[in-house]
Structures are given as structure tokens and as C-alpha cells.
Coordinates of all heavy atoms in Angstrom, one line a residue:
M73 N -20.6 32.6 -1.1 CA -20.6 34.1 -1.2 C -19.5 34.5 -2.1 O -18.4 33.9 -2.2 CB -20.5 34.7 0.2 CG -21.1 36.1 0.2 SD -21.2 36.8 1.8 CE -22.4 35.8 2.7
I74 N -19.7 35.6 -2.9 CA -18.7 36.0 -3.9 C -17.7 37.0 -3.2 O -18.1 37.9 -2.5 CB -19.5 36.7 -5.0 CG1 -20.4 35.7 -5.7 CG2 -18.5 37.3 -6.1 CD1 -21.5 36.4 -6.6
S75 N -16.5 36.9 -3.6 CA -15.4 37.8 -3.1 C -15.6 39.2 -3.7 O -15.8 39.3 -4.9 CB -14.1 37.2 -3.4 OG -13.1 38.0 -2.9
N76 N -15.5 40.2 -2.9 CA -15.5 41.6 -3.3 C -14.0 41.9 -3.4 O -13.4 42.3 -2.4 CB -16.3 42.5 -2.4 CG -16.3 43.9 -2.9 OD1 -15.3 44.4 -3.4 ND2 -17.4 44.6 -2.7
H77 N -13.4 41.8 -4.6 CA -11.9 42.0 -4.7 C -11.5 43.4 -4.4 O -10.4 43.6 -3.8 CB -11.5 41.6 -6.1 CG -11.7 40.2 -6.4 ND1 -11.0 39.2 -5.8 CD2 -12.6 39.5 -7.3 CE1 -11.4 38.0 -6.2 NE2 -12.4 38.2 -7.1
K78 N -12.3 44.4 -4.8 CA -11.9 45.8 -4.5 C -11.9 46.1 -3.0 O -10.9 46.7 -2.5 CB -12.9 46.8 -5.2 CG -12.7 46.8 -6.7 CD -13.7 47.8 -7.3 CE -13.6 47.8 -8.8 NZ -14.5 48.8 -9.5
L79 N -12.9 45.7 -2.3 CA -12.9 45.9 -0.9 C -11.9 45.1 -0.1 O -11.3 45.5 0.8 CB -14.3 45.7 -0.3 CG -15.2 46.8 -0.2 CD1 -16.6 46.4 0.3 CD2 -14.7 48.0 0.6
T80 N -11.7 43.8 -0.6 CA -10.7 43.0 0.0 C -9.3 43.6 -0.1 O -8.6 43.7 0.9 CB -10.6 41.6 -0.7 OG1 -11.9 40.9 -0.4 CG2 -9.5 40.7 -0.2
T81 N -8.9 44.1 -1.3 CA -7.7 44.8 -1.5 C -7.5 46.0 -0.6 O -6.4 46.2 0.0 CB -7.5 45.2 -3.0 OG1 -7.6 44.0 -3.8 CG2 -6.2 45.9 -3.3
L82 N -8.6 46.7 -0.5 CA -8.5 47.9 0.3 C -8.5 47.7 1.8 O -7.7 48.3 2.6 CB -9.8 48.8 0.0 CG -9.9 50.2 0.6 CD1 -8.8 51.1 0.1 CD2 -11.2 50.8 0.3
L83 N -9.2 46.7 2.3 CA -9.4 46.5 3.8 C -8.5 45.4 4.4 O -8.3 45.4 5.6 CB -10.8 46.2 4.1 CG -11.9 47.3 3.8 CD1 -13.3 46.8 4.2 CD2 -11.5 48.6 4.5
Q84 N -7.9 44.6 3.5 CA -7.1 43.5 4.0 C -6.0 44.0 4.9 O -5.3 44.9 4.6 CB -6.5 42.7 2.9 CG -5.9 41.4 3.3 CD -5.5 40.5 2.1 OE1 -4.9 41.0 1.2 NE2 -6.0 39.3 2.1
G85 N -5.9 43.4 6.1 CA -4.9 43.8 7.1 C -5.3 44.9 8.0 O -4.6 45.2 9.0
R86 N -6.4 45.6 7.8 CA -6.9 46.6 8.7 C -7.6 46.0 9.9 O -8.4 45.1 9.8 CB -7.8 47.6 8.0 CG -7.1 48.4 6.9 CD -8.0 49.5 6.4 NE -7.5 50.0 5.1 CZ -8.0 51.1 4.5 NH1 -9.0 51.7 5.0 NH2 -7.4 51.5 3.4
K87 N -7.3 46.5 11.1 CA -7.9 46.0 12.3 C -9.0 46.9 12.7 O -8.9 48.1 12.7 CB -6.8 46.0 13.4 CG -7.3 45.4 14.7 CD -6.1 45.4 15.7 CE -6.6 44.8 17.0 NZ -5.5 44.8 18.0
I88 N -10.1 46.2 13.1 CA -11.3 47.0 13.6 C -11.1 47.4 15.0 O -10.7 46.6 15.8 CB -12.6 46.1 13.5 CG1 -12.9 45.7 12.1 CG2 -13.8 46.8 14.2 CD1 -14.1 44.7 11.9
V89 N -11.2 48.7 15.2 CA -11.0 49.3 16.5 C -12.3 49.8 17.2 O -12.4 50.1 18.4 CB -9.9 50.4 16.6 CG1 -8.6 49.8 16.2 CG2 -10.2 51.5 15.6
S90 N -13.3 50.1 16.3 CA -14.6 50.6 16.8 C -15.7 50.2 15.9 O -15.5 50.0 14.7 CB -14.6 52.1 17.0 OG -14.4 52.7 15.8
S91 N -16.9 50.2 16.4 CA -18.1 50.0 15.6 C -19.3 50.6 16.3 O -19.4 50.7 17.5 CB -18.3 48.5 15.3 OG -18.6 47.8 16.5
A92 N -20.2 51.1 15.4 CA -21.5 51.7 16.0 C -22.5 51.5 14.9 O -22.3 51.4 13.7 CB -21.2 53.2 16.2
S93 N -23.8 51.5 15.4 CA -24.9 51.3 14.5 C -26.0 52.2 15.0 O -26.4 52.2 16.2 CB -25.4 49.9 14.5 OG -26.5 49.7 13.6
S94 N -26.6 53.1 14.1 CA -27.6 54.0 14.5 C -28.4 54.4 13.3 O -27.8 54.8 12.3 CB -27.0 55.2 15.2 OG -28.0 56.1 15.6
G95 N -29.7 54.4 13.4 CA -30.6 54.9 12.4 C -30.3 54.3 11.0 O -30.4 55.1 10.0
G96 N -30.1 53.0 10.9 CA -29.9 52.4 9.6 C -28.5 52.6 9.0 O -28.3 52.4 7.8
V97 N -27.5 53.1 9.8 CA -26.2 53.3 9.3 C -25.2 52.6 10.3 O -25.3 52.8 11.5 CB -25.8 54.8 9.3 CG1 -24.3 54.9 8.9 CG2 -26.7 55.5 8.3
A98 N -24.4 51.7 9.8 CA -23.3 51.1 10.6 C -22.0 51.7 10.2 O -21.7 52.0 9.0 CB -23.3 49.6 10.3
T99 N -21.2 52.0 11.2 CA -19.8 52.6 11.0 C -18.8 51.8 11.7 O -18.9 51.4 12.9 CB -19.8 54.1 11.6 OG1 -20.8 54.8 11.0 CG2 -18.4 54.7 11.2
I100 N -17.8 51.4 10.9 CA -16.7 50.6 11.4 C -15.4 51.4 11.3 O -15.1 51.8 10.2 CB -16.6 49.3 10.7 CG1 -17.9 48.5 10.9 CG2 -15.4 48.4 11.2 CD1 -18.0 47.3 10.0
G101 N -14.7 51.6 12.4 CA -13.4 52.3 12.4 C -12.3 51.3 12.4 O -12.3 50.3 13.1
F102 N -11.2 51.7 11.7 CA -10.0 50.8 11.6 C -8.8 51.5 12.3 O -8.8 52.7 12.5 CB -9.7 50.5 10.1 CG -10.8 49.8 9.4 CD1 -11.8 50.4 8.6 CD2 -11.0 48.4 9.6 CE1 -12.8 49.7 8.0 CE2 -12.0 47.7 9.0 CZ -12.9 48.4 8.2
D103 N -7.8 50.7 12.5 CA -6.6 51.1 13.2 C -5.8 52.2 12.5 O -5.0 52.9 13.1 CB -5.7 50.0 13.6 CG -5.2 49.2 12.5 OD1 -5.7 49.3 11.3 OD2 -4.3 48.4 12.7
D104 N -6.0 52.4 11.2 CA -5.2 53.4 10.5 C -6.0 54.7 10.4 O -5.6 55.6 9.7 CB -4.9 52.9 9.1 CG -6.1 52.6 8.2 OD1 -7.3 52.7 8.7 OD2 -5.9 52.4 7.0
G105 N -7.1 54.8 11.1 CA -7.9 56.0 11.1 C -9.0 56.1 10.1 O -9.8 57.0 10.0
S106 N -9.0 55.1 9.2 CA -10.1 55.0 8.2 C -11.4 54.5 8.8 O -11.4 54.0 9.9 CB -9.6 54.2 7.0 OG -9.5 52.8 7.4
A107 N -12.5 54.7 8.0 CA -13.8 54.3 8.5 C -14.6 53.8 7.3 O -14.6 54.4 6.2 CB -14.5 55.4 9.2
M108 N -15.4 52.8 7.6 CA -16.3 52.3 6.6 C -17.7 52.5 7.1 O -18.1 52.3 8.2 CB -16.2 50.8 6.4 CG -17.1 50.2 5.4 SD -16.8 48.4 4.9 CE -17.4 47.6 6.4
T109 N -18.6 53.1 6.2 CA -20.0 53.4 6.5 C -20.8 52.6 5.6 O -20.6 52.5 4.4 CB -20.3 54.9 6.3 OG1 -19.4 55.7 7.0 CG2 -21.7 55.3 6.7
V110 N -21.8 51.9 6.2 CA -22.7 51.0 5.5 C -24.1 51.4 5.8 O -24.6 51.5 6.9 CB -22.5 49.5 5.9 CG1 -23.4 48.6 5.1 CG2 -21.0 49.1 5.8
Q111 N -24.9 51.7 4.7 CA -26.3 51.9 4.9 C -26.9 50.5 5.1 O -26.8 49.6 4.2 CB -26.9 52.5 3.6 CG -26.4 53.9 3.3 CD -26.8 54.9 4.3 OE1 -27.9 54.9 4.8 NE2 -25.9 55.8 4.6
T112 N -27.6 50.3 6.2 CA -28.0 48.9 6.5 C -29.5 48.8 6.3 O -30.2 49.8 6.1 CB -27.8 48.6 8.0 OG1 -28.5 49.5 8.8 CG2 -26.3 48.6 8.3
G113 N -30.0 47.6 6.2 CA -31.4 47.3 6.0 C -32.1 47.3 7.3 O -32.7 46.3 7.7
G114 N -32.0 48.3 8.1 CA -32.7 48.4 9.4 C -31.6 48.2 10.5 O -30.6 48.8 10.4
S115 N -31.9 47.4 11.4 CA -31.0 47.2 12.5 C -29.8 46.2 12.0 O -30.0 45.4 11.2 CB -31.7 46.5 13.7 OG -32.2 45.3 13.4
S116 N -28.7 46.4 12.6 CA -27.6 45.5 12.3 C -26.9 45.2 13.6 O -26.9 45.9 14.6 CB -26.5 46.2 11.3 OG -25.9 47.2 12.0
S117 N -26.3 44.0 13.6 CA -25.6 43.6 14.8 C -24.3 44.4 15.0 O -23.7 44.8 14.0 CB -25.3 42.1 14.7 OG -24.5 41.8 13.6
S118 N -23.9 44.6 16.2 CA -22.7 45.3 16.5 C -21.5 44.4 16.3 O -21.6 43.2 16.5 CB -22.7 45.9 17.9 OG -22.8 44.8 18.8
A119 N -20.4 45.0 15.9 CA -19.2 44.2 15.6 C -18.3 44.3 16.8 O -18.2 45.3 17.5 CB -18.5 44.8 14.4
A120 N -17.6 43.2 17.1 CA -16.6 43.2 18.1 C -15.4 43.8 17.6 O -15.0 43.6 16.5 CB -16.4 41.8 18.6
S121 N -14.8 44.7 18.4 CA -13.5 45.3 18.0 C -12.4 44.3 18.1 O -12.5 43.3 18.8 CB -13.2 46.5 18.9 OG -14.2 47.5 18.7
G122 N -11.3 44.6 17.3 CA -10.1 43.8 17.4 C -9.8 42.8 16.3 O -8.7 42.4 16.1
G123 N -10.8 42.5 15.5 CA -10.5 41.6 14.4 C -9.8 42.3 13.3 O -9.9 43.4 13.0
T124 N -8.9 41.5 12.6 CA -8.2 42.0 11.4 C -8.8 41.4 10.2 O -8.9 40.2 10.0 CB -6.7 41.6 11.5 OG1 -6.2 42.2 12.8 CG2 -5.9 42.2 10.4
V125 N -9.1 42.3 9.2 CA -9.8 41.8 8.0 C -8.9 41.0 7.1 O -7.8 41.4 6.8 CB -10.4 43.1 7.2 CG1 -11.0 42.6 5.9 CG2 -11.3 43.9 8.1
D126 N -9.3 39.9 6.7 CA -8.6 39.0 5.8 C -9.2 39.2 4.3 O -8.5 39.3 3.4 CB -8.6 37.6 6.2 CG -7.8 36.7 5.3 OD1 -6.7 37.1 4.9 OD2 -8.3 35.6 5.0
K127 N -10.5 39.1 4.3 CA -11.2 39.3 3.0 C -12.6 39.8 3.2 O -13.2 39.7 4.2 CB -11.2 37.9 2.2 CG -11.8 36.8 2.9 CD -11.6 35.5 2.1 CE -12.1 34.3 2.9 NZ -11.8 33.0 2.2
V128 N -13.2 40.3 2.1 CA -14.5 40.8 2.1 C -15.3 40.0 1.0 O -14.9 39.8 -0.1 CB -14.6 42.3 1.7 CG1 -16.0 42.8 1.8 CG2 -13.7 43.1 2.7
Q129 N -16.5 39.5 1.4 CA -17.4 38.8 0.5 C -18.7 39.5 0.5 O -19.1 40.2 1.5 CB -17.6 37.4 1.0 CG -16.3 36.6 1.0 CD -16.5 35.2 1.6 OE1 -17.3 35.0 2.5 NE2 -15.8 34.2 1.0
Q130 N -19.4 39.5 -0.7 CA -20.7 40.1 -0.8 C -21.6 39.4 -1.8 O -21.1 38.9 -2.8 CB -20.4 41.6 -1.3 CG -21.6 42.5 -1.2 CD -21.2 43.9 -1.5 OE1 -20.1 44.2 -1.9 NE2 -22.2 44.8 -1.2
E131 N -22.8 39.2 -1.4 CA -23.8 38.6 -2.3 C -25.2 39.2 -1.9 O -25.6 39.1 -0.7 CB -23.8 37.1 -2.1 CG -24.6 36.4 -3.1 CD -24.4 34.9 -3.2 OE1 -23.3 34.5 -2.9 OE2 -25.4 34.2 -3.5
G132 N -25.8 39.8 -2.9 CA -27.1 40.4 -2.7 C -27.0 41.5 -1.7 O -26.1 42.4 -1.8
T133 N -27.7 41.5 -0.6 CA -27.6 42.5 0.5 C -26.8 42.0 1.7 O -26.9 42.7 2.7 CB -29.0 42.9 0.9 OG1 -29.7 41.7 1.4 CG2 -29.8 43.5 -0.2
T134 N -26.0 41.0 1.5 CA -25.2 40.5 2.6 C -23.7 40.9 2.3 O -23.2 40.5 1.3 CB -25.3 39.0 2.7 OG1 -26.7 38.6 3.0 CG2 -24.4 38.5 3.9
L135 N -23.1 41.6 3.2 CA -21.7 42.0 3.2 C -21.0 41.3 4.4 O -21.5 41.4 5.5 CB -21.6 43.5 3.3 CG -20.2 44.1 3.4 CD1 -19.5 43.9 2.0 CD2 -20.2 45.5 3.8
A136 N -20.0 40.6 4.1 CA -19.3 39.8 5.1 C -17.8 40.2 5.2 O -17.1 40.1 4.2 CB -19.4 38.3 4.9
L137 N -17.4 40.6 6.4 CA -15.9 40.9 6.6 C -15.4 39.6 7.3 O -15.8 39.3 8.4 CB -15.7 42.1 7.5 CG -16.3 43.4 7.0 CD1 -16.0 44.5 8.0 CD2 -15.7 43.8 5.6
V138 N -14.5 38.9 6.6 CA -14.0 37.7 7.1 C -12.6 38.0 7.8 O -11.8 38.6 7.1 CB -13.8 36.6 6.0 CG1 -13.2 35.3 6.6 CG2 -15.1 36.3 5.4
M139 N -12.5 37.7 9.1 CA -11.3 38.1 9.8 C -10.2 37.0 9.7 O -10.5 35.8 9.3 CB -11.6 38.3 11.3 CG -12.7 39.3 11.5 SD -12.4 40.9 10.9 CE -14.0 41.5 10.8
K140 N -9.0 37.4 10.0 CA -7.8 36.4 9.9 C -8.0 35.2 10.8 O -7.5 34.2 10.5 CB -6.5 37.2 10.2 CG -6.1 38.1 9.0 CD -4.7 38.6 9.2 CE -4.4 39.6 8.1 NZ -3.8 39.0 7.0
D141 N -8.8 35.4 11.9 CA -9.0 34.3 12.9 C -10.1 33.4 12.4 O -10.5 32.5 13.1 CB -9.2 34.8 14.3 CG -10.5 35.6 14.5 OD1 -11.3 35.7 13.5 OD2 -10.7 36.1 15.6
G142 N -10.8 33.7 11.3 CA -11.8 32.9 10.8 C -13.2 33.4 11.2 O -14.2 32.9 10.6
S143 N -13.3 34.3 12.1 CA -14.6 34.9 12.5 C -15.1 35.8 11.3 O -14.4 36.2 10.5 CB -14.6 35.6 13.8 OG -13.7 36.7 13.7
T144 N -16.4 36.0 11.3 CA -17.0 36.8 10.3 C -18.0 37.9 10.9 O -18.8 37.6 11.8 CB -17.9 35.9 9.3 OG1 -17.0 34.9 8.7 CG2 -18.5 36.7 8.2
L145 N -17.8 39.1 10.4 CA -18.8 40.2 10.7 C -19.7 40.3 9.5 O -19.3 40.6 8.4 CB -18.1 41.5 11.0 CG -19.0 42.7 11.0 CD1 -20.0 42.6 12.1 CD2 -18.1 44.0 11.2
Q146 N -21.0 40.0 9.7 CA -21.9 40.0 8.6 C -22.9 41.1 8.8 O -23.4 41.3 9.9 CB -22.7 38.6 8.6 CG -23.5 38.4 7.3 CD -23.9 37.0 7.1 OE1 -23.0 36.1 7.3 NE2 -25.1 36.7 6.8
I147 N -23.1 41.9 7.7 CA -23.9 43.1 7.7 C -24.9 43.0 6.6 O -24.6 42.7 5.5 CB -23.1 44.4 7.5 CG1 -22.0 44.5 8.6 CG2 -24.0 45.6 7.5 CD1 -21.0 45.6 8.4
T148 N -26.2 43.3 6.9 CA -27.2 43.3 5.8 C -27.3 44.8 5.3 O -27.6 45.7 6.1 CB -28.6 42.9 6.4 OG1 -28.5 41.5 6.9 CG2 -29.6 42.9 5.3
T149 N -27.0 45.0 4.1 CA -27.0 46.3 3.5 C -28.4 46.7 3.0 O -29.3 45.8 2.8 CB -26.1 46.4 2.3 OG1 -26.5 45.5 1.2 CG2 -24.6 46.1 2.6
A150 N -28.7 48.0 2.9 CA -30.0 48.5 2.5 C -30.3 48.1 1.1 O -31.5 47.7 0.8 CB -30.1 50.0 2.6
E151 N -29.3 48.1 0.2 CA -29.5 47.7 -1.2 C -28.3 46.8 -1.6 O -27.3 46.8 -0.9 CB -29.6 48.9 -2.1 CG -30.8 49.8 -1.8 CD -30.8 51.0 -2.6 OE1 -30.4 50.9 -3.8 OE2 -31.3 52.1 -2.1
E152 N -28.4 46.2 -2.8 CA -27.3 45.4 -3.3 C -26.1 46.3 -3.7 O -25.0 45.9 -3.7 CB -27.8 44.6 -4.5 CG -28.7 43.5 -4.0 CD -29.0 42.5 -5.2 OE1 -28.2 42.4 -6.1 OE2 -30.1 41.9 -5.1
T153 N -26.4 47.5 -4.1 CA -25.3 48.5 -4.4 C -25.6 49.8 -3.7 O -26.6 50.0 -3.2 CB -25.2 48.7 -6.0 OG1 -26.5 49.2 -6.4 CG2 -24.9 47.4 -6.7
S154 N -24.6 50.7 -3.8 CA -24.8 52.1 -3.3 C -25.0 52.1 -1.8 O -25.7 52.9 -1.2 CB -25.9 52.8 -3.9 OG -25.7 52.9 -5.3
S155 N -24.4 51.1 -1.1 CA -24.6 51.0 0.4 C -23.3 51.1 1.2 O -23.3 51.2 2.4 CB -25.2 49.7 0.7 OG -26.5 49.6 0.1
V156 N -22.1 51.1 0.6 CA -20.8 51.1 1.3 C -19.9 52.2 0.9 O -19.7 52.4 -0.3 CB -20.1 49.7 1.0 CG1 -18.8 49.6 1.8 CG2 -21.0 48.5 1.4
M157 N -19.3 52.9 1.9 CA -18.3 53.9 1.6 C -17.1 53.7 2.6 O -17.4 53.4 3.7 CB -18.8 55.3 1.8 CG -19.8 55.8 0.8 SD -20.2 57.6 0.9 CE -20.5 57.8 2.6
V158 N -15.9 53.9 2.1 CA -14.7 53.9 2.9 C -14.0 55.2 2.7 O -13.7 55.6 1.6 CB -13.8 52.7 2.6 CG1 -12.6 52.7 3.5 CG2 -14.6 51.3 2.7
R159 N -13.7 55.8 3.9 CA -12.9 57.1 3.8 C -11.7 56.9 4.6 O -11.6 56.2 5.7 CB -13.8 58.2 4.4 CG -15.0 58.6 3.6 CD -15.7 59.8 4.1 NE -16.8 60.1 3.3 CZ -16.8 61.0 2.3 NH1 -15.6 61.5 1.9 NH2 -17.9 61.2 1.6
D160 N -10.6 57.5 4.2 CA -9.3 57.5 4.9 C -9.3 58.4 6.1 O -10.3 59.1 6.4 CB -8.1 57.8 3.9 CG -8.1 59.2 3.4 OD1 -8.8 60.1 4.0 OD2 -7.5 59.4 2.4
K161 N -8.2 58.4 6.8 CA -8.2 59.2 8.1 C -8.4 60.7 7.9 O -8.8 61.4 8.8 CB -6.9 58.9 8.9 CG -5.7 59.4 8.2 CD -4.5 59.1 9.0 CE -3.2 59.6 8.3 NZ -2.0 59.2 9.1
S162 N -8.2 61.2 6.6 CA -8.4 62.6 6.3 C -9.8 62.8 5.7 O -10.0 63.9 5.2 CB -7.3 63.1 5.3 OG -6.0 62.9 5.9
H163 N -10.6 61.8 5.7 CA -12.0 61.8 5.2 C -12.0 61.8 3.7 O -13.0 62.1 3.1 CB -12.8 63.0 5.8 CG -12.8 63.0 7.3 ND1 -13.5 62.0 8.0 CD2 -12.2 63.8 8.2 CE1 -13.4 62.2 9.3 NE2 -12.6 63.3 9.4
G164 N -10.9 61.5 3.0 CA -10.9 61.3 1.6 C -11.5 60.0 1.2 O -11.4 59.0 1.9
M165 N -12.2 60.0 0.1 CA -13.0 58.8 -0.4 C -12.0 57.8 -0.9 O -11.2 58.1 -1.8 CB -13.9 59.2 -1.5 CG -14.8 58.1 -1.9 SD -16.0 57.6 -0.7 CE -17.1 59.0 -0.6
E166 N -12.1 56.6 -0.4 CA -11.3 55.5 -0.9 C -12.1 54.5 -1.7 O -11.6 53.9 -2.6 CB -10.6 54.7 0.3 CG -9.5 55.4 1.0 CD -8.9 54.6 2.0 OE1 -9.4 54.4 3.1 OE2 -7.8 54.0 1.7
Y167 N -13.4 54.4 -1.3 CA -14.3 53.4 -2.0 C -15.7 53.9 -1.8 O -16.1 54.3 -0.7 CB -14.1 52.0 -1.3 CG -15.0 51.0 -1.9 CD1 -14.6 50.2 -3.0 CD2 -16.3 50.7 -1.4 CE1 -15.4 49.2 -3.5 CE2 -17.1 49.7 -1.9 CZ -16.7 49.0 -2.9 OH -17.5 48.0 -3.4
A168 N -16.5 53.7 -2.9 CA -17.9 54.0 -2.8 C -18.7 53.0 -3.7 O -18.3 52.8 -4.8 CB -18.3 55.4 -3.1
D169 N -19.7 52.4 -3.2 CA -20.5 51.5 -3.9 C -21.9 51.6 -3.5 O -22.3 51.6 -2.4 CB -20.0 50.0 -3.8 CG -20.9 49.0 -4.5 OD1 -21.4 49.4 -5.6 OD2 -21.1 47.9 -4.0

């Protein structure tokens, strides 16, 4: 899988504190108050809270958050692009693809 350098730089070191999936949208909350929203390809598996992001990989419609402990949260996106947004705690846009 190919490294997504922009998302890795942005998310590295952030700890997942919450996750939810509903209606083709997955939302992951981080310990700094930021949130990542992913348009999914239908249902997505729920993420366990507590992992700290080490790197992000992406290939086709597969987005993988690789945690520092080696575990991976894998999400199937609706499309190869235009499926991921990250907003800071003030809801300002940090990343959109």
C-alpha cells in the first residue's frame, strides 16, 4: 500500500478517542479535538478507540491508519479521491481529498 504523506504528516501522533459510522459516513475523533470524516463505500467496520496514528496508507479505495502498536484501522472509501476530510477542533479545514 502507498503512503499518504500529507495525511501521515497531519495525523501522526494523534490518538483516536471516538469513532462512529452511519449512512455511508465514518467519523473518527482525535484527542486534540480534531475529526476525520470519510465517505465510505457502504458499511464500514467500527474503530477501537485508543490507538495512536503512526502513518496513513492509501491505495485505490482502501485507506489504512497504521497505529504505533502495529494495529491497523482499514476503511473502504466511496471513491479513490474526494472521500476524506479532516477538521480541527474549531471546525477549520485541515485536509480535504
Side-chain angles (χ1 to χ4, degrees):
M73 205 171 296
I74 301 166
S75 182
N76 182 321
H77 297 293
K78 289 181 181 179
L79 269 177
T80 294
T81 299
L82 186 64
L83 298 179
Q84 191 172 50
R86 294 187 192 188
K87 184 177 180 180
I88 297 174
V89 295
S90 66
S91 64
S93 181
S94 177
V97 177
T99 304
I100 299 171
F102 298 100
D103 61 345
D104 64 354
S106 63
M108 179 172 75
T109 305
V110 181
Q111 298 293 322
T112 63
S115 62
S116 70
S117 59
S118 60
S121 298
T124 300
V125 178
D126 184 41
K127 59 187 170 184
V128 181
Q129 297 175 325
Q130 192 168 11
E131 188 168 331
T133 58
T134 302
L135 176 70
L137 302 179
V138 181
M139 305 303 160
K140 289 190 183 270
D141 68 2
S143 64
T144 301
L145 168 60
Q146 195 164 310
I147 302 169
T148 301
T149 61
E151 298 178 35
E152 291 186 26
T153 59
S154 303
S155 297
V156 181
M157 288 191 314
V158 179
R159 294 186 179 271
D160 65 20
K161 66 179 178 183
S162 301
H163 304 291
M165 186 68 67
E166 289 188 279
Y167 178 91
D169 178 32

